[in-house]
Tab-separated table of all heavy atoms in Angstrom:
chain	number	residue	atom	x	y	z
P	1	ASP	N	102.793	104.607	104.622
P	1	ASP	CA	101.498	105.190	104.238
P	1	ASP	C	100.708	105.531	105.483
P	1	ASP	O	100.670	104.739	106.440
P	1	ASP	CB	100.683	104.196	103.387
P	1	ASP	CG	101.380	103.759	102.126
P	1	ASP	OD1	102.406	104.397	101.786
P	1	ASP	OD2	100.914	102.811	101.490
P	2	TRP	N	100.070	106.684	105.447
P	2	TRP	CA	99.194	107.074	106.567
P	2	TRP	C	98.311	108.241	106.127
P	2	TRP	O	98.759	109.119	105.390
P	2	TRP	CB	100.026	107.476	107.796
P	2	TRP	CG	99.178	107.914	108.963
P	2	TRP	CD1	98.285	107.151	109.655
P	2	TRP	CD2	99.141	109.220	109.544
P	2	TRP	NE1	97.699	107.905	110.654
P	2	TRP	CE2	98.207	109.181	110.607
P	2	TRP	CE3	99.819	110.416	109.287
P	2	TRP	CZ2	97.928	110.287	111.411
P	2	TRP	CZ3	99.532	111.518	110.097
P	2	TRP	CH2	98.601	111.450	111.124
P	3	ALA	N	97.055	108.209	106.551
P	3	ALA	CA	96.109	109.310	106.332
P	3	ALA	C	96.004	109.696	104.856
P	3	ALA	O	95.923	110.878	104.515
P	3	ALA	CB	96.490	110.528	107.179
P	4	GLY	N	96.035	108.703	103.977
P	4	GLY	CA	95.878	108.960	102.559
P	4	GLY	C	97.146	109.377	101.839
P	4	GLY	O	97.116	109.629	100.636
P	5	SER	N	98.253	109.461	102.559
P	5	SER	CA	99.538	109.845	101.959
P	5	SER	C	100.418	108.611	101.831
P	5	SER	O	100.532	107.837	102.786
P	5	SER	CB	100.248	110.904	102.815
P	5	SER	OG	99.469	112.081	102.906
P	6	ALA	N	101.033	108.441	100.694
P	6	ALA	CA	101.877	107.281	100.439
P	6	ALA	C	103.340	107.704	100.255
P	6	ALA	O	103.638	108.885	99.981
P	6	ALA	CB	101.381	106.539	99.192
P	7	GLY	N	104.255	106.739	100.407
P	7	GLY	CA	105.675	106.998	100.158
P	7	GLY	C	106.295	108.000	101.112
P	7	GLY	O	107.148	108.812	100.715
P	8	LEU	N	105.889	107.952	102.393
P	8	LEU	CA	106.447	108.916	103.380
P	8	LEU	C	107.948	108.759	103.556
P	8	LEU	O	108.633	109.694	103.971
P	8	LEU	CB	105.724	108.764	104.716
P	8	LEU	CG	104.200	108.947	104.685
P	8	LEU	CD1	103.609	108.731	106.068
P	8	LEU	CD2	103.830	110.332	104.174
P	9	TRP	N	108.463	107.577	103.236
P	9	TRP	CA	109.908	107.339	103.365
P	9	TRP	C	110.726	108.215	102.427
P	9	TRP	O	111.940	108.384	102.619
P	9	TRP	CB	110.209	105.867	103.103
P	9	TRP	CG	109.740	105.386	101.752
P	9	TRP	CD1	108.542	104.833	101.452
P	9	TRP	CD2	110.475	105.419	100.534
P	9	TRP	NE1	108.458	104.526	100.116
P	9	TRP	CE2	109.641	104.871	99.520
P	9	TRP	CE3	111.765	105.850	100.164
P	9	TRP	CZ2	110.050	104.757	98.201
P	9	TRP	CZ3	112.163	105.735	98.846
P	9	TRP	CH2	111.308	105.192	97.886
P	10	ARG	N	110.109	108.792	101.418
P	10	ARG	CA	110.838	109.634	100.462
P	10	ARG	C	111.378	110.908	101.122
P	10	ARG	O	112.238	111.588	100.544
P	10	ARG	CB	109.949	109.994	99.277
P	10	ARG	CG	109.502	108.780	98.469
P	10	ARG	CD	108.636	109.170	97.289
P	10	ARG	NE	108.096	108.005	96.633
P	10	ARG	CZ	108.750	107.266	95.728
P	10	ARG	NH1	109.995	107.602	95.404
P	10	ARG	NH2	108.189	106.217	95.162
P	11	HIS	N	110.875	111.264	102.294
P	11	HIS	CA	111.378	112.435	103.005
P	11	HIS	C	112.502	112.074	103.972
P	11	HIS	O	113.004	112.952	104.680
P	11	HIS	CB	110.225	113.116	103.761
P	11	HIS	CG	108.996	113.312	102.911
P	11	HIS	ND1	109.029	113.999	101.727
P	11	HIS	CD2	107.716	112.876	103.075
P	11	HIS	CE1	107.811	113.979	101.186
P	11	HIS	NE2	107.014	113.311	101.975
P	12	ILE	N	112.884	110.791	103.990
P	12	ILE	CA	113.986	110.316	104.831
P	12	ILE	C	115.269	110.294	103.998
P	12	ILE	O	115.342	109.622	102.974
P	12	ILE	CB	113.685	108.900	105.375
P	12	ILE	CG1	112.344	108.867	106.112
P	12	ILE	CG2	114.825	108.415	106.256
P	12	ILE	CD1	112.288	109.702	107.363
P	13	MET	N	116.288	111.018	104.454
P	13	MET	CA	117.537	111.133	103.695
P	13	MET	C	118.722	110.680	104.550
P	13	MET	O	118.683	110.757	105.778
P	13	MET	CB	117.747	112.586	103.248
P	13	MET	CG	116.627	113.134	102.394
P	13	MET	SD	116.551	112.276	100.797
P	13	MET	CE	115.022	112.955	100.126
P	14	GLY	N	119.771	110.254	103.861
P	14	GLY	CA	121.030	109.960	104.534
P	14	GLY	C	120.951	108.837	105.550
P	14	GLY	O	121.599	108.904	106.604
P	15	LEU	N	120.204	107.797	105.262
P	15	LEU	CA	120.033	106.686	106.204
P	15	LEU	C	121.371	105.974	106.442
P	15	LEU	O	122.028	105.541	105.511
P	15	LEU	CB	118.990	105.702	105.661
P	15	LEU	CG	118.715	104.452	106.487
P	15	LEU	CD1	118.085	104.830	107.830
P	15	LEU	CD2	117.797	103.498	105.722
P	16	GLU	N	121.756	105.847	107.721
P	16	GLU	CA	122.957	105.120	108.109
P	16	GLU	C	122.595	104.069	109.151
P	16	GLU	O	121.817	104.342	110.071
P	16	GLU	CB	124.007	106.066	108.706
P	16	GLU	CG	124.593	107.043	107.705
P	16	GLU	CD	125.691	107.904	108.330
P	16	GLU	OE1	125.933	107.755	109.563
P	16	GLU	OE2	126.307	108.696	107.615
P	17	ILE	N	123.153	102.887	109.000
P	17	ILE	CA	122.879	101.789	109.928
P	17	ILE	C	124.201	101.204	110.367
P	17	ILE	O	125.039	100.802	109.542
P	17	ILE	CB	122.011	100.691	109.256
P	17	ILE	CG1	120.654	101.288	108.833
P	17	ILE	CG2	121.812	99.524	110.215
P	17	ILE	CD1	119.798	100.330	108.024
P	18	ARG	N	124.440	101.128	111.681
P	18	ARG	CA	125.653	100.573	112.236
P	18	ARG	C	125.320	99.351	113.087
P	18	ARG	O	124.248	99.291	113.709
P	18	ARG	CB	126.380	101.603	113.077
P	18	ARG	CG	126.869	102.800	112.267
P	18	ARG	CD	127.652	103.771	113.132
P	18	ARG	NE	128.115	104.915	112.353
P	18	ARG	CZ	128.842	105.913	112.862
P	18	ARG	NH1	129.186	105.885	114.144
P	18	ARG	NH2	129.207	106.920	112.094
P	19	GLY	N	126.217	98.401	113.113
P	19	GLY	CA	126.011	97.183	113.872
P	19	GLY	C	125.593	96.014	112.997
P	19	GLY	O	125.369	94.908	113.514
P	20	ALA	N	125.485	96.258	111.703
P	20	ALA	CA	125.080	95.201	110.776
P	20	ALA	C	126.311	94.489	110.212
P	20	ALA	O	127.364	95.082	110.010
P	20	ALA	CB	124.267	95.784	109.643
P	21	THR	N	126.151	93.219	109.940
P	21	THR	CA	127.198	92.474	109.205
P	21	THR	C	126.971	92.611	107.715
P	21	THR	O	127.905	92.559	106.931
P	21	THR	CB	127.188	90.989	109.613
P	21	THR	OG1	125.877	90.449	109.359
P	21	THR	CG2	127.541	90.838	111.076
P	22	SER	N	125.694	92.791	107.324
P	22	SER	CA	125.351	93.075	105.931
P	22	SER	C	123.930	93.614	105.893
P	22	SER	O	123.174	93.510	106.852
P	22	SER	CB	125.452	91.816	105.057
P	22	SER	OG	124.483	90.857	105.450
P	23	LEU	N	123.578	94.225	104.762
P	23	LEU	CA	122.249	94.811	104.585
P	23	LEU	C	121.592	94.250	103.349
P	23	LEU	O	122.249	93.978	102.344
P	23	LEU	CB	122.354	96.348	104.466
P	23	LEU	CG	122.848	97.116	105.676
P	23	LEU	CD1	123.017	98.601	105.333
P	23	LEU	CD2	121.889	96.967	106.843
P	24	GLY	N	120.266	94.104	103.424
P	24	GLY	CA	119.475	93.677	102.266
P	24	GLY	C	118.179	94.446	102.228
P	24	GLY	O	118.050	95.515	102.818
P	25	GLY	N	117.198	93.922	101.546
P	25	GLY	CA	115.905	94.580	101.467
P	25	GLY	C	115.941	95.796	100.558
P	25	GLY	O	116.736	95.882	99.615
P	26	THR	N	115.092	96.769	100.859
P	26	THR	CA	114.986	97.990	100.063
P	26	THR	C	115.258	99.196	100.947
P	26	THR	O	115.352	99.075	102.169
P	26	THR	CB	113.579	98.106	99.458
P	26	THR	OG1	112.597	98.104	100.523
P	26	THR	CG2	113.302	96.924	98.523
P	27	TYR	N	115.349	100.366	100.334
P	27	TYR	CA	115.661	101.577	101.118
P	27	TYR	C	114.609	101.826	102.181
P	27	TYR	O	114.929	102.205	103.315
P	27	TYR	CB	115.776	102.793	100.200
P	27	TYR	CG	116.185	104.057	100.931
P	27	TYR	CD1	117.525	104.301	101.205
P	27	TYR	CD2	115.239	104.993	101.350
P	27	TYR	CE1	117.916	105.449	101.891
P	27	TYR	CE2	115.614	106.142	102.038
P	27	TYR	CZ	116.963	106.364	102.307
P	27	TYR	OH	117.341	107.493	102.986
P	28	ASP	N	113.319	101.638	101.814
P	28	ASP	CA	112.256	101.916	102.773
P	28	ASP	C	112.038	100.789	103.768
P	28	ASP	O	111.381	100.984	104.796
P	28	ASP	CB	110.944	102.235	102.042
P	28	ASP	CG	110.477	101.082	101.170
P	28	ASP	OD1	111.323	100.472	100.511
P	28	ASP	OD2	109.263	100.797	101.139
P	29	ARG	N	112.583	99.582	103.483
P	29	ARG	CA	112.467	98.444	104.392
P	29	ARG	C	113.798	97.678	104.403
P	29	ARG	O	113.878	96.543	103.929
P	29	ARG	CB	111.316	97.523	103.964
P	29	ARG	CG	109.948	98.149	104.150
P	29	ARG	CD	108.871	97.337	103.427
P	29	ARG	NE	108.765	95.977	103.918
P	29	ARG	CZ	108.008	95.616	104.933
P	29	ARG	NH1	107.293	96.508	105.600
P	29	ARG	NH2	107.942	94.343	105.311
P	30	PRO	N	114.836	98.307	104.950
P	30	PRO	CA	116.143	97.616	104.943
P	30	PRO	C	116.155	96.413	105.883
P	30	PRO	O	115.664	96.480	107.020
P	30	PRO	CB	117.119	98.697	105.415
P	30	PRO	CG	116.273	99.669	106.157
P	30	PRO	CD	114.933	99.654	105.515
P	31	LEU	N	116.709	95.311	105.394
P	31	LEU	CA	116.874	94.113	106.197
P	31	LEU	C	118.285	94.139	106.779
P	31	LEU	O	119.275	94.102	106.049
P	31	LEU	CB	116.671	92.863	105.336
P	31	LEU	CG	116.826	91.515	106.070
P	31	LEU	CD1	115.774	91.372	107.162
P	31	LEU	CD2	116.747	90.363	105.093
P	32	ILE	N	118.356	94.226	108.117
P	32	ILE	CA	119.638	94.330	108.803
P	32	ILE	C	120.059	92.942	109.264
P	32	ILE	O	119.362	92.290	110.049
P	32	ILE	CB	119.545	95.265	110.019
P	32	ILE	CG1	118.939	96.625	109.601
P	32	ILE	CG2	120.895	95.466	110.672
P	32	ILE	CD1	118.575	97.519	110.786
P	33	ARG	N	121.199	92.463	108.769
P	33	ARG	CA	121.755	91.181	109.232
P	33	ARG	C	122.836	91.480	110.240
P	33	ARG	O	123.694	92.356	110.041
P	33	ARG	CB	122.292	90.375	108.046
P	33	ARG	CG	121.230	90.061	106.995
P	33	ARG	CD	121.768	89.168	105.893
P	33	ARG	NE	120.779	88.948	104.846
P	33	ARG	CZ	120.711	89.674	103.729
P	33	ARG	NH1	121.575	90.656	103.518
P	33	ARG	NH2	119.774	89.412	102.843
P	34	HIS	N	122.851	90.721	111.338
P	34	HIS	CA	123.724	91.069	112.456
P	34	HIS	C	123.908	89.843	113.358
P	34	HIS	O	123.242	88.805	113.169
P	34	HIS	CB	123.094	92.207	113.263
P	34	HIS	CG	121.652	91.942	113.627
P	34	HIS	ND1	121.269	91.093	114.630
P	34	HIS	CD2	120.483	92.389	113.074
P	34	HIS	CE1	119.957	91.041	114.719
P	34	HIS	NE2	119.437	91.821	113.770
P	35	ARG	N	124.777	89.968	114.335
P	35	ARG	CA	124.875	88.923	115.348
P	35	ARG	C	123.583	88.904	116.155
P	35	ARG	O	122.951	89.950	116.349
P	35	ARG	CB	126.062	89.201	116.290
P	35	ARG	CG	127.425	89.214	115.615
P	35	ARG	CD	128.533	89.284	116.666
P	35	ARG	NE	128.221	90.212	117.745
P	35	ARG	CZ	128.434	91.518	117.708
P	35	ARG	NH1	128.957	92.070	116.598
P	35	ARG	NH2	128.144	92.279	118.734
P	36	PRO	N	123.139	87.760	116.634
P	36	PRO	CA	121.898	87.692	117.429
P	36	PRO	C	121.942	88.696	118.588
P	36	PRO	O	122.887	88.718	119.366
P	36	PRO	CB	121.878	86.259	117.942
P	36	PRO	CG	122.623	85.480	116.897
P	36	PRO	CD	123.715	86.400	116.425
P	37	GLY	N	120.919	89.550	118.646
P	37	GLY	CA	120.825	90.523	119.739
P	37	GLY	C	121.812	91.649	119.680
P	37	GLY	O	122.034	92.344	120.683
P	38	ALA	N	122.434	91.887	118.533
P	38	ALA	CA	123.474	92.912	118.410
P	38	ALA	C	122.906	94.300	118.655
P	38	ALA	O	121.720	94.574	118.448
P	38	ALA	CB	124.115	92.845	117.028
P	39	ARG	N	123.777	95.210	119.072
P	39	ARG	CA	123.397	96.609	119.241
P	39	ARG	C	123.338	97.268	117.860
P	39	ARG	O	124.345	97.252	117.140
P	39	ARG	CB	124.398	97.358	120.128
P	39	ARG	CG	124.500	96.806	121.536
P	39	ARG	CD	125.559	97.564	122.315
P	39	ARG	NE	125.783	96.993	123.614
P	39	ARG	CZ	125.083	97.318	124.729
P	39	ARG	NH1	124.129	98.222	124.643
P	39	ARG	NH2	125.358	96.744	125.886
P	40	ILE	N	122.205	97.823	117.520
P	40	ILE	CA	122.011	98.465	116.222
P	40	ILE	C	121.839	99.965	116.435
P	40	ILE	O	121.096	100.406	117.334
P	40	ILE	CB	120.791	97.906	115.486
P	40	ILE	CG1	120.866	96.375	115.374
P	40	ILE	CG2	120.630	98.556	114.116
P	40	ILE	CD1	122.044	95.886	114.562
P	41	ARG	N	122.515	100.746	115.623
P	41	ARG	CA	122.365	102.204	115.651
P	41	ARG	C	121.925	102.683	114.273
P	41	ARG	O	122.491	102.266	113.262
P	41	ARG	CB	123.667	102.884	116.054
P	41	ARG	CG	124.099	102.584	117.483
P	41	ARG	CD	125.443	103.204	117.809
P	41	ARG	NE	125.875	102.890	119.163
P	41	ARG	CZ	125.628	103.656	120.220
P	41	ARG	NH1	124.986	104.815	120.079
P	41	ARG	NH2	126.061	103.293	121.420
P	42	VAL	N	120.907	103.526	114.266
P	42	VAL	CA	120.354	104.053	113.010
P	42	VAL	C	120.326	105.574	113.114
P	42	VAL	O	120.003	106.142	114.181
P	42	VAL	CB	118.916	103.521	112.766
P	42	VAL	CG1	118.309	104.158	111.528
P	42	VAL	CG2	118.935	102.004	112.637
P	43	ALA	N	120.657	106.248	112.031
P	43	ALA	CA	120.554	107.694	111.972
P	43	ALA	C	120.049	108.096	110.592
P	43	ALA	O	120.400	107.479	109.592
P	43	ALA	CB	121.902	108.352	112.265
P	44	TYR	N	119.220	109.121	110.557
P	44	TYR	CA	118.728	109.632	109.275
P	44	TYR	C	118.243	111.072	109.465
P	44	TYR	O	118.079	111.547	110.592
P	44	TYR	CB	117.628	108.753	108.706
P	44	TYR	CG	116.437	108.541	109.599
P	44	TYR	CD1	115.366	109.453	109.617
P	44	TYR	CD2	116.325	107.405	110.399
P	44	TYR	CE1	114.255	109.249	110.413
P	44	TYR	CE2	115.216	107.191	111.206
P	44	TYR	CZ	114.181	108.113	111.215
P	44	TYR	OH	113.084	107.908	112.014
P	45	PHE	N	118.032	111.742	108.340
P	45	PHE	CA	117.525	113.122	108.342
P	45	PHE	C	116.127	113.136	107.741
P	45	PHE	O	115.836	112.392	106.802
P	45	PHE	CB	118.446	114.035	107.537
P	45	PHE	CG	119.824	114.167	108.134
P	45	PHE	CD1	120.862	113.347	107.695
P	45	PHE	CD2	120.084	115.089	109.128
P	45	PHE	CE1	122.128	113.448	108.245
P	45	PHE	CE2	121.357	115.196	109.686
P	45	PHE	CZ	122.379	114.373	109.237
P	46	VAL	N	115.281	113.997	108.295
P	46	VAL	CA	113.921	114.172	107.789
P	46	VAL	C	113.821	115.567	107.190
P	46	VAL	O	114.090	116.567	107.872
P	46	VAL	CB	112.867	114.001	108.900
P	46	VAL	CG1	111.462	114.161	108.334
P	46	VAL	CG2	113.023	112.636	109.575
């Protein structure tokens, strides 16, 4: 949310996360589980 607009994450498509052992949470707030200090790579389209 910003400047009176909500749900800005809806314009984020194709979210990919690498370096995780598992994922939790929600699409707009993914919880990345990984080795301590692991290298994480994220890619998405706007």
Side-chain angles (χ1 to χ4, degrees):
D1 301 349
W2 179 64
S5 299
L8 301 178
W9 57 270
R10 297 180 187 278
H11 312 304
I12 305 296
M13 301 294 172
L15 178 65
E16 292 184 357
I17 299 173
R18 296 183 181 181
T21 57
S22 65
L23 295 174
T26 58
Y27 184 82
D28 60 318
R29 291 167 61 87
L31 180 63
I32 307 170
R33 301 184 184 95
H34 51 77
R35 298 189 319 275
R39 298 177 186 272
I40 306 297
R41 295 176 181 268
V42 175
Y44 57 85
F45 296 94
V46 181

